[in-house]
Amino acid sequence: MSKLLKTRIRGGILTVTDRELMLGEGWLGTQNVRRFPLHLLVGVELQPSPGERLLTKSTLLRLTWSDGKVTDVDGVGPIAAQRIRDILTALCKIEI
């Protein structure tokens, strides 16, 4: 498993590997780690965080899974969010 990207988010760390996306809470991202297999990802959207109008300070990353569930990741920096979207769309062959 190759780590492609690791970035701080509000309240934890988001890690993207070639097989999964991991969300971990805490300073090191080691608490309450949730793992999402990328082969189930069907959509990625970038939206302004609640209370913001533009994607300038903080971005909401909305991930849609094949079972219809949605995972919102708030507090992602705009540059990191763009890179995450680019990596996920390339790995999962998602159309923007």
Side-chain angles (χ1 to χ4, degrees), residues 2-3 6 11 23 26 33 35 56 60 66 80 82 90 92 95:
S2 301
K3 189 183 303 182
K6 184 174 187 177
L23 294 172
V33 177
R35 298 174 182 268
T56 55
L60 174 79
S66 60
Q82 183 67 44
C92 303
E95 305 238 353

Side-chain angles (χ1 to χ4, degrees), residues 20-33:
E20 64 185 1
L21 181 136
M22 294 177 285
L23 294 172
E25 295 177 2
W27 180 253
L28 298 175
T30 57
Q31 301 169 349
N32 301 324
V33 177

Side-chain angles (χ1 to χ4, degrees), residues 5 7-8 46 61 76-86:
L5 182 107
T7 188
R8 296 226 22 94
L46 300 181
L61 187 64
V76 183
I79 295 171
Q82 183 67 44
R83 291 196 62 207
I84 292 166
R85 183 180 72 176
D86 292 346

Side-chain angles (χ1 to χ4, degrees), residues 11-22:
I13 298 214
L14 179 142
T15 306
V16 177
T17 69
D18 57 346
R19 295 184 191 150
E20 64 185 1
L21 181 136
M22 294 177 285

Side-chain angles (χ1 to χ4, degrees), residues 41-55:
L41 186 66
V42 295
V44 179
E45 291 179 51
L46 300 181
Q47 300 177 353
S49 285
E52 294 189 28
R53 294 180 201 186
L54 302 174
L55 301 172

